[in-house]
Amino acid sequence: QHESMTKASLQCVKCSNPSTIAGAEGKNVAYCDGCYGEMLTHKFRSALGKRRVFKDGAAKEALVVSDGSSSSVFLLGQIRDAIQLNPHQRLVMQPTIVTIVSSVTEGVLARVAEKESLVVHLAAVMRPSEEKVLDKGRDAEEEIRGLAQLLSSCKSPTSRDEITRILKERLILRLAAELQLSTVLIADTADDLARLSLSALCIGRGGQISEMTGGVEKRKGLPTIVRPLKEIRSKEIAMGNRMFGWEKEVIYVEEDEMKKPMGYSIHKATEDFIETLHTEGFQATVSTVLSTSSKVHPDVNPSSLLCTLCLRTFSKDMVGLCPPCQSIMDEIPDWSGIAHLVQ
């Protein structure tokens, strides 16, 4: 970071102190430690403020989704700090925090449950719709084995990654409904959303990327999804966690999966593509992708039905599964375990 700074940027852009950290805005933008932390906090709070998420009579209760990652730890830390401010500045919000575990490695769920109060595994989404996903009396390990079998049966890494993403989103919506919460905060960063935009475009979800990556996503009959970290880069969050002392709260639950040869999916290819462009000096790649995605809107009728799997509007003339979801289901030999999700 220091090597990329020019002499003109050796002074903090916010104050007269010497800069210590290069910003993500460009090679000539740098901050001192104090101003860097304030900048990150401002991005988070302005994301909620300018979209009036908890204003204008909106419900103050919200589901906050965590997975133990660096970005979710940052989100939880920012919420804690914002709630503890003085009455004129604090975030008026009542969060319900749920940690979602996606790892199919045996014993991981129990290990995370020792640290977090409200934990649910991704496999819970495979339960019948009349059953609760927060029911701790179920045989979680048996459900996890069922999920692992479903994912391993996918014919391509792309279909496996996409069905995992969809199942997680369905679980989040189901949790919100079960807890009777109309607002959900998730920890998607700018990098996450840029990768999602490109992979969704490649898969055939081009008309859906504006709502999939928006700061606030509203779908008819479903909870509102808020992405308050949309304008913050993953590297900024990693630095922020270290500065604020939150780094020790990160839970590394995917280490075993990372060691396995999982194949090369479209999702992984877009991640490498964006990272390579950024490494080679194209600093505006992420912001450009997100800016373009926000301008793409589908040609659909507002009264159109939603896809029964991804729950997104996809065509004014079609019903049932959207083409990308149909393609995914065609690559899963036995999807009886999630049949209730497409009914």
Side-chain angles (χ1 to χ4, degrees):
Q1 290 176 321
H2 284 285
E3 292 174 358
S4 65
M5 296 181 190
T6 64
K7 291 183 178 179
S9 67
L10 291 179
Q11 180 176 311
C12 175
V13 296
K14 294 293 185 181
C15 68
S16 58
N17 293 327
S19 63
T20 56
I21 304 173
E25 298 88 345
K27 66 180 181 180
N28 293 326
V29 179
Y31 302 85
C32 64
D33 287 359
C35 290
Y36 190 80
E38 291 178 4
M39 178 271 293
L40 295 180
T41 298
H42 175 73
K43 282 187 176 182
F44 165 75
R45 293 178 186 170
S46 65
L48 296 177
K50 67 184 178 183
R51 296 180 176 90
R52 308 190 70 80
V53 175
F54 297 108
K55 298 181 180 180
D56 299 329
K60 309 305 179 184
E61 299 83 6
L63 172 66
V64 181
V65 179
S66 171
D67 58 5
S69 64
S70 180
S71 57
S72 61
V73 166
F74 181 86
L75 174 61
L76 295 179
Q78 289 290 349
I79 290 175
R80 285 197 305 265
D81 285 1
I83 291 176
Q84 295 172 359
L85 291 173
N86 65 63
H88 299 290
Q89 296 178 312
R90 72 183 177 196
L91 176 63
V92 183
M93 172 188 172
Q94 299 175 20
T96 298
I97 302 169
V98 177
T99 301
I100 295 179
V101 178
S102 301
S103 171
V104 294
T105 301
E106 185 175 354
V108 170
L109 178 64
R111 178 158 56 87
V112 176
E114 292 177 355
K115 301 180 180 180
E116 308 296 329
S117 57
L118 202 55
V119 179
V120 62
H121 196 278
L122 177 61
V125 76
M126 300 176 68
R127 297 176 187 173
S129 55
E130 64 272 12
E131 297 183 16
K132 293 185 177 182
V133 295
L134 289 174
D135 182 6
K136 296 183 178 180
R138 298 294 298 268
D139 186 352
E141 292 298 333
E142 179 62 28
E143 291 179 334
I144 294 171
R145 285 190 287 271
L147 175 64
Q149 184 176 358
L150 173 73
L151 298 180
S152 62
S153 71
C154 293
K155 295 180 181 179
S156 71
T158 297
S159 62
R160 183 200 61 231
D161 287 354
E162 184 65 1
I163 193 64
T164 300
R165 184 193 67 79
I166 292 174
L167 291 180
K168 184 174 182 179
E169 191 172 84
R170 289 293 299 265
L171 177 60
I172 290 172
L173 294 175
R174 191 166 166 179
L175 280 168
E178 188 172 305
L179 295 169
Q180 298 183 335
L181 299 173
S182 59
T183 304
V184 181
L185 272 64
I186 59 178
D188 288 349
T189 67
D191 300 74
D192 296 331
L193 296 176
R195 290 192 294 267
L196 177 60
S197 294
L198 294 184
S199 60
L201 188 63
C202 295
I203 290 171
R205 301 188 184 277
Q208 302 172 350
I209 59 177
S210 60
E211 63 178 17
M212 291 173 70
T213 61
V216 175
E217 178 185 356
K218 295 182 179 181
R219 283 178 274 173
K220 60 180 182 180
L222 296 174
T224 298
I225 295 180
V226 183
R227 304 179 179 93
L229 307 184
K230 179 183 177 179
E231 298 178 5
I232 307 179
R233 298 290 306 277
S234 296
K235 290 185 177 179
E236 290 180 316
I237 284 176
M239 183 64 70
N241 282 339
R242 181 172 300 179
M243 293 179 60
F244 296 131
W246 301 334
E247 195 175 38
K248 60 182 180 296
E249 299 177 25
V250 177
I251 303 174
Y252 299 96
V253 297
E254 306 294 341
E255 291 176 324
D256 293 327
E257 274 76 3
M258 295 299 290
K259 297 175 183 177
K260 298 178 181 179
M262 302 297 287
Y264 205 64
S265 65
I266 287 176
H267 304 75
K268 178 60 177 174
T270 54
E271 178 180 353
D272 291 348
F273 175 66
I274 291 178
E275 183 62 29
T276 298
L277 287 176
H278 185 263
T279 302
E280 293 180 353
F282 296 93
Q283 304 293 325
T285 299
V286 169
S287 59
T288 300
V289 169
L290 292 179
S291 177
T292 304
S293 298
S294 66
K295 298 178 176 64
V296 180
H297 300 286
D299 181 21
V300 296
N301 190 316
S303 61
S304 297
L305 296 176
L306 301 179
C307 169
T308 53
L309 181 59
C310 68
L311 302 181
R312 298 184 184 279
T313 305
F314 60 96
S315 172
K316 51 189 174 186
D317 301 317
M318 299 179 67
V319 295
L321 293 172
C322 65
C325 285
Q326 183 63 64
S327 177
I328 292 169
M329 299 302 279
D330 290 342
E331 291 200 25
I332 303 176
D334 179 13
W335 45 269
S336 57
I338 56 173
H340 62 285
L341 297 179
V342 296
Q343 294 175 350

